[in-house]
Amino acid sequence: MTTIYAEKAAITQKVEGTYGTDSVPVAGTDALLVHNLKIDPLKNAYVPRNPVLPFYGNQGQLVAASWAEISYDVEMAGGGAAGTAPKYAIALKSCGMAETVNAGTDVQYAPITTGITSSTIYYYEDGVLHKILGALGNVSFDIKAGGDPMMHFRFLGLHVA
């Protein structure tokens, strides 16, 4: 029996040109350093069936919707040079943030309600590739005195087997 080690994991994320179309993230340029990785590759919403029948028994349920969920934390850090977007910029864009790059000065993010870009997320568990397409999410910030400032991301998307 083969043992799979969940702690041997990697995440890559890349903005999609078209919703739900694989943007093929590459480890060398699209990898993220994450903490507290949690993955639920297949979540379902069910609709009960309650037909009137002349016998007892379970009538089952229908799958109404299926999706994948992934969440992780990222340390808040700059892009390395003034006016350079950080690696986690893709995640912020898929959480409804617009990016404004002021070359040589800074990069700013502001919430938007239209034109939100989806992303493709690849996650590797002990060398096994899993894909989530059309990922959209939300972000929350955890900033405490004396602590490491973190962003918590949660994405929902389409699981690709």
Side-chain angles (χ1 to χ4, degrees):
M1 174 183 248
T2 303
T3 302
I4 295 178
Y5 297 96
E7 62 273 3
K8 290 174 59 179
I11 297 286
T12 58
Q13 188 168 359
K14 187 174 182 179
V15 171
E16 296 174 339
T18 304
Y19 176 81
T21 303
D22 193 343
S23 59
V24 191
V26 177
T29 56
D30 303 313
L32 296 174
L33 177 63
V34 303
H35 303 267
N36 304 320
L37 176 64
K38 293 180 184 143
I39 301 163
D40 193 344
L42 188 58
K43 294 187 86 145
N44 293 314
Y46 298 98
V47 175
R49 296 184 63 233
N50 295 313
V52 176
L53 297 172
F55 52 84
Y56 295 119
N58 185 359
Q59 303 310 313
Q61 299 175 336
L62 300 174
V63 176
S66 295
W67 65 93
E69 182 176 333
I70 185 169
S71 65
Y72 54 82
D73 296 335
V74 175
E75 298 170 347
M76 292 178 72
T84 303
K87 287 277 193 177
Y88 55 78
I90 290 103
L92 287 172
K93 290 177 186 179
S94 294
C95 289
M97 300 290 236
E99 179 181 76
T100 304
V101 177
N102 300 309
T105 307
D106 65 4
V107 181
Q108 299 177 11
Y109 295 90
I112 56 174
T113 56
T114 60
I116 300 169
T117 57
S118 60
S119 60
T120 296
I121 301 173
Y122 283 10
Y123 63 95
Y124 300 84
E125 273 188 308
D126 198 16
V128 178
L129 171 63
H130 302 272
K131 300 178 183 181
I132 298 175
L133 304 181
L136 294 167
N138 58 39
V139 60
S140 59
F141 300 89
D142 184 12
I143 304 170
K144 296 177 186 163
D148 195 9
M150 300 291 275
M151 294 176 289
H152 177 73
F153 291 96
R154 179 178 169 262
F155 292 97
L156 303 179
L158 310 168
H159 182 261
V160 177

